[in-house]
Amino acid sequence: MKSLLEVENLKKYFEHRGGMFRATEYLKAVDDVSFEIKKGETFGLVGESGCGKSTCGKTILKLHQPTAGSIRYDGVDISGFSRKQMLPYRRKMTITYQDPFGSLDPRMTVGDIISEPMEVHKLYGREERENKVMEITELVGLTAEQVSRYPHEFSGGQRQRIGIARSLALDPEFIVADEPVSALDVSIQAQIINLLYDLQKELDLTYLFIAHDLAVVKHICERIAVMYLGKVVEIADKKELFRNPMHPYTKALMSSVPIPNPHRRTEQIILTGDVPSPVNPPPGCHFHNRCPSAMERCSAEEPELVEVEKDHFVSCHLY
Ligand code: SF4
């Protein structure tokens, strides 16, 4: 399968002022991250809150300017592109947000919300835009009658459908789904995941699916990258990752995923210690202060992400 997106050594640092008499520090939200996403694939990016996964997604879309590294979309390096150069890519690459209420303007009707991106990009005449709104509304499982309603009249799941509809307005190829089900009840999560899956098949979409919960990505992703403190620590095919997690952090995340089988029990690995600050990450392996397998070498030497088994990459001195 052809790569649609290649991210290489991507960094996004934010300036952090610690006080009047302190030198400027940098919050290393994304720190030297590399991966590729194939056309038509759903690639999962997983990790605890604050690990940099959402910043990574937004930097790929150039909603944040990258500090360093390259982002190749369909073979073109867009990392240094200006706003004007990015315009054609704004149609191809889009985002759907976690908070389906906060991300929708309460003063706009559903129809206006969906048609706004088309107006901004000056696409289609009025009638064609209205037809397009109806078509997308139906695609995401809402009714024609709901187009004239306001966001507050909908449930959380329906609002997420509106958010997804808006992200489809420009006929994108690639969508960053930033925690699209985290704010929803478990029963609704499955409906939205099924919707994203069906849309992918129907519209030939490629997803970067961001989540903090491995149980969620298990159902929709083909390959998964695990992030910790701004870095990718493991990448593998979904089945391989669940069968054979290698990085101690992935093992800990995995141990908290419920298994629907009363005869199979796994012991939950409780991580001790606080997540360090991304302003002052620990030297060596960033995970060493919480890792149950840490060795002397781990606090001195940073491990590289290497291919330990076929298509299974891990950054840990144990391998
Ligand atoms: Fe643990 Fe060391 Fe591996 Fe880091 S490099 S995950 S501290 S064993």
Side-chain angles (χ1 to χ4, degrees):
M1 234 192 301
K2 196 181 154 218
S3 287
L4 183 65
L5 183 88
E6 293 155 278
V7 175
E8 221 175 294
N9 306 115
L10 187 69
K11 295 183 182 179
K12 179 61 201 173
Y13 295 176
F14 295 98
E15 266 192 25
H16 172 85
R17 298 196 185 281
M20 244 170 52
F21 302 106
R22 292 179 65 174
T24 304
E25 296 173 309
Y26 290 92
L27 188 154
K28 296 174 178 172
V30 179
D31 196 11
D32 211 2
V33 161
S34 302
F35 57 78
E36 56 158 359
I37 303 181
K38 298 183 177 106
K39 197 165 174 6
E41 181 180 36
T42 300
F43 185 83
L45 196 53
V46 190
E48 288 164 298
S49 296
C51 72
K53 53 194 189 305
S54 290
T55 305
C56 184
K58 287 178 185 156
T59 308
I60 286 169
L61 296 179
K62 300 248 309 156
L63 299 175
H64 294 310
Q65 190 58 31
T67 305
S70 70
I71 305 157
R72 293 181 77 79
Y73 185 82
D74 216 1
V76 180
D77 187 350
I78 60 167
S79 48
F81 272 18
S82 64
R83 281 170 75 113
K84 196 171 163 203
Q85 286 173 304
M86 274 305 289
L87 269 180
Y89 290 88
R90 291 271 165 257
R91 288 187 58 185
K92 298 176 188 195
M93 309 167 78
T94 183
I95 186 164
T96 176
Y97 292 100
Q98 170 184 3
D99 178 358
F101 199 63
S103 63
L104 302 175
D105 189 334
R107 295 159 305 180
M108 291 170 81
T109 64
V110 171
D112 291 340
I113 288 170
I114 300 172
S115 69
E116 190 187 32
M118 299 181 229
E119 284 174 44
V120 170
H121 284 259
K122 300 188 173 53
L123 293 178
Y124 318 119
R126 193 191 164 121
E127 199 182 321
E128 213 180 334
R129 244 185 345 247
E130 282 172 6
N131 291 339
K132 189 97 182 138
V133 167
M134 287 303 175
E135 194 187 305
I136 296 171
T137 305
E138 199 179 313
L139 258 180
V140 300
L142 297 170
T143 63
E145 179 264 324
Q146 289 170 318
V147 165
S148 54
R149 295 213 202 147
Y150 291 87
H152 72 268
E153 298 178 65
F154 293 88
S155 66
Q158 286 172 321
R159 287 198 291 260
Q160 193 54 278
R161 286 176 193 268
I162 301 168
I164 292 169
R166 180 180 52 187
S167 67
L168 296 176
L170 301 175
D171 296 324
E173 300 167 341
F174 173 69
I175 297 182
V176 173
D178 188 6
E179 304 244 19
V181 297
S182 304
L184 304 175
D185 289 346
V186 176
S187 57
I188 309 296
Q189 285 185 359
Q191 292 176 16
I192 297 298
I193 287 178
N194 288 341
L195 171 66
L196 288 168
Y197 182 80
D198 292 344
L199 290 172
Q200 180 177 46
K201 297 290 160 247
E202 188 153 348
L203 305 174
D204 200 17
L205 296 167
T206 303
Y207 292 135
L208 171 61
F209 193 101
I210 296 171
H212 62 262
D213 185 350
L214 266 170
V216 169
V217 289
K218 188 178 182 185
H219 294 292
I220 189 164
C221 298
E222 278 122 24
R223 284 185 308 133
I224 297 170
V226 179
M227 254 185 112
Y228 183 78
L229 217 62
K231 293 194 177 279
V232 167
V233 296
E234 187 159 5
I235 304 179
D237 172 85
K238 170 182 69 180
K239 280 193 192 140
E240 163 68 8
L241 193 77
F242 276 83
R243 185 189 64 82
N244 180 27
M246 291 190 183
H247 195 281
Y249 178 62
T250 313
K251 286 182 183 173
L253 283 186
M254 208 69 90
S255 74
S256 59
V257 176
I259 300 171
N261 181 349
H263 304 296
R264 253 189 79 195
R265 282 176 175 267
T266 52
E267 205 163 311
Q268 189 171 357
I269 302 167
I270 310 282
L271 293 174
T272 54
D274 294 329
V275 181
S277 160
V279 177
N280 286 309
C285 171
H286 288 359
F287 187 55
H288 81 254
N289 65 326
R290 302 175 78 197
C291 179
S293 313
M295 311 166 270
E296 207 178 319
R297 178 184 176 196
C298 301
S299 55
E301 203 183 313
E302 190 174 332
E304 281 184 31
L305 190 70
V306 290
E307 190 170 13
V308 174
E309 285 178 14
K310 189 170 176 338
D311 297 328
H312 192 155
F313 298 81
V314 188
S315 129
C316 174
H317 292 311
L318 290 172
Y319 305 96

